[in-house]
Amino acid sequence: SAVISQKPSRDICQRGTSLTIQCQVDSQVTMMFWYRQQPGQSLTLIATANQGSEATYESGFVIDKFPISRPNLTFSTLTVSNMSPEDSSIYLCSVEAGGPDEQYFGPGTRLTVT
Amino acid sequence: LAKTTQPISMDSYEGQEVNITCSHNNIATNDYITWYQQFPSQGPRFIIQGYKTKVTNEVASLFIPADRKSSTLSLPRVSLSDTAVYYCLVRRGTGRRALTFGSGTRLQVQP
């Protein structure tokens, strides 16, 4: 298993600013994933972050808007840049741990953009 | 990747058995069926995974018929704390590791 923490747990930001979300894992993992969950909706994958390589973004998500860092095997950050109200959402990170078929999720960061 | 279809919502009462069926008609030979549970204000939590027949753990059972075009998550004797959204996912045994979530089933357990 894996224990994941995220910071901040929530934030209210103004339009046009940026927010960096941190994801910390209690063990070393190769792959980390970032998801977005809009209110009342399912989860949508933003990108996959492997340590030592560029993140791989899903269709509809671009690096300029959601830059990701993965400096080591236990940590990653996701930045939401130049925010608009449409970016209001819960952002979650996850890792694959405990076996090849189990993913563990952080508690999420609830972002509100005004 | 196989598309999944599951009921949007279900209601039950405490102590009842709940069965949530998921359809995945175009599942491929090397695909696994996985279920996650999500409580409000929390990230999803892995419940159970299977390939065929029946899998049981301390939380739930997963029934998969021979054609694997559907699966049923069975929650025995639900309690109020089982109120959550349940996601059925089909994922490859190899290759892409990220999860593709469908719309999920919102289970409401009443006292």
Side-chain angles (χ1 to χ4, degrees), chain B residues 13-74:
Chain B
Y13 292 94
E14 282 192 292
Q16 289 189 333
E17 177 184 75
V18 171
N19 295 310
I20 305 174
T21 297
C22 178
S23 169
H24 27 79
N25 289 321
N26 59 338
I27 190 169
T29 302
N30 58 350
D31 288 346
Y32 285 80
I33 299 148
T34 308
W35 286 79
Y36 280 75
Q37 173 191 55
Q38 185 177 27
F39 297 114
S41 301
Q42 294 186 26
R45 180 177 78 110
F46 172 90
I47 301 178
I48 197 167
Q49 179 178 270
Y51 183 79
K52 62 180 179 181
T53 62
K54 177 183 174 182
V55 179
T56 298
N57 61 23
E58 65 279 3
V59 176
S61 295
L62 178 60
F63 299 91
I64 305 168
D67 66 6
R68 304 197 330 119
K69 293 184 183 299
S70 67
S71 60
T72 299
L73 176 73
S74 181

Side-chain angles (χ1 to χ4, degrees), chain A residues 11-83:
Chain A
D11 207 343
I12 300 173
C13 301
Q14 291 197 342
R15 181 196 299 261
T17 63
S18 298
L19 176 72
T20 295
I21 302 168
Q22 299 178 11
C23 178
Q24 180 75 51
V25 190
D26 68 343
S27 58
Q28 294 186 339
V29 294
T30 302
M31 304 182 77
M32 297 181 77
F33 308 92
W34 286 98
Y35 293 83
R36 181 173 75 180
Q37 186 171 31
Q38 296 182 308
Q41 303 296 313
S42 183
L43 287 81
T44 301
L45 179 69
I46 297 172
T48 301
N50 288 341
Q51 197 270 334
S53 62
E54 294 287 328
T56 303
Y57 289 83
E58 296 298 299
S59 175
F61 297 96
V62 295
I63 188 171
D64 290 345
K65 174 69 176 177
F66 298 100
I68 289 172
S69 78
R70 184 77 204 276
N72 57 52
L73 291 173
T74 63
F75 187 78
S76 177
T77 67
L78 169 76
T79 299
V80 186
S81 304
N82 188 24
M83 289 183 284

Side-chain angles (χ1 to χ4, degrees), chain B residues 91-102:
Chain B
R91 59 174 298 167
R92 293 285 153 80
T94 58
R96 177 181 169 91
R97 308 312 297 170
L99 301 176
T100 301
F101 285 83

Side-chain angles (χ1 to χ4, degrees), chain A residues 98-114:
Chain A
D101 304 310
E102 294 186 36
Q103 284 198 13
Y104 293 84
F105 285 79
T109 296
R110 183 179 296 271
L111 170 63
T112 303
V113 184
T114 60

